[in-house]
Structures are given as C-alpha cells and as structure tokens.
Amino acid sequence: MLNDATCFKQVYIVTGYTDLRSGIDRLAALVKAHLNNQPFEPDTIYLFCGRRTDRIKGLVWEGDGYLLLYKRLEAGKLQWPRSESEVQALTQQQFRWLMEGLAIAPKKSVKPVKQPEYVA
C-alpha cells in the first residue's frame, strides 16, 4: 500500500527524527504542531521516520478515525531528509523516489531545454 500513494491526494513527510514508539495521538499532535492546524485531512498521509531509516509510520485520517501504517524494509534504507523538523509536501514522483531509496531532491538532474533553432 505504501509503495503506491496514488490513492492519497496529498503526501506529507515530517522531516528530522521521530520516535517511532509514538502512537496515533502523539503523531497527530506532531502534525498539528508543525502545520498549525488539525491533521484531519481526508485522503492525506503523513509519514514519519525514526533514526533507523529502514522503517516508517504513516498516519491517515479516514473520516471516522485514524489509520496507522507501519512499514519495515527488509533490505535497504530510505533517504529521509534530516536537516529540519518540519512538514514537507511531496509530489507523487518524490514519493516514488523516497520509497525506492532515492533522495527526494536529486543533486543533479537533466534539465529541459528549449528546442534549438537550426539555420538552413
């Protein structure tokens, strides 16, 4: 389920370290503290990662209660942004990169260019 986030309208990650022993109430309080609003957004997932980057938790509001998701990778690690403790929105492509173990902000990428005009 977590490898394909097309069912979610919005994907947010809480950067930095999160104590993954935290339950639903603590994770919801973290989202509320960072976003200055209620984390009751339907079709939105909030992702958290601890010091070990081989596991993540996801928090989803389903209208009648929270759904807590937990994923542990058997091999490999996630490239989780650690610089700041904030909530960051991800695009579907960035989410795919994260779940594939890639950085969400590649250092180098091929940039589109304008079509050259050739003189005949």
Side-chain angles (χ1 to χ4, degrees):
M1 176 176 187
L2 276 180
N3 284 347
D4 180 19
T6 56
C7 61
F8 301 113
K9 291 180 183 172
Q10 195 66 27
V11 177
Y12 291 101
I13 60 171
V14 178
T15 60
Y17 300 104
T18 302
D19 184 356
L20 290 187
R21 296 175 294 180
S22 301
I24 290 173
D25 296 327
R26 174 74 177 126
L27 296 177
L30 283 172
V31 171
K32 183 178 178 182
H34 290 300
L35 287 180
N36 296 323
N37 67 3
Q38 296 291 335
F40 301 115
E41 298 271 338
D43 301 324
T44 300
I45 185 168
Y46 300 93
L47 298 173
F48 307 87
C49 187
R51 292 200 181 270
R52 298 179 68 176
T53 56
D54 65 342
R55 53 198 79 193
I56 60 174
K57 276 190 175 181
L59 187 65
V60 179
W61 175 254
E62 291 196 319
D64 59 352
Y66 282 109
L67 172 66
L68 183 63
L69 303 167
Y70 184 80
K71 180 168 185 164
R72 184 188 71 199
L73 300 174
E74 290 298 319
K77 303 240 180 219
L78 300 167
Q79 296 288 323
W80 199 265
R82 300 292 190 181
S83 58
E84 300 175 19
S85 284
E86 62 181 22
V87 176
Q88 179 178 349
L90 295 182
T91 64
Q92 289 294 329
Q93 184 176 20
Q94 288 175 316
F95 180 76
R96 255 190 335 275
W97 287 340
L98 179 68
M99 297 312 292
E100 291 173 0
L102 303 172
I104 61 171
K107 294 181 181 176
K108 293 183 180 182
S109 63
V110 177
K111 296 181 178 166
V113 295
K114 294 181 181 178
Q115 183 177 3
E117 294 181 28
Y118 293 103
V119 180

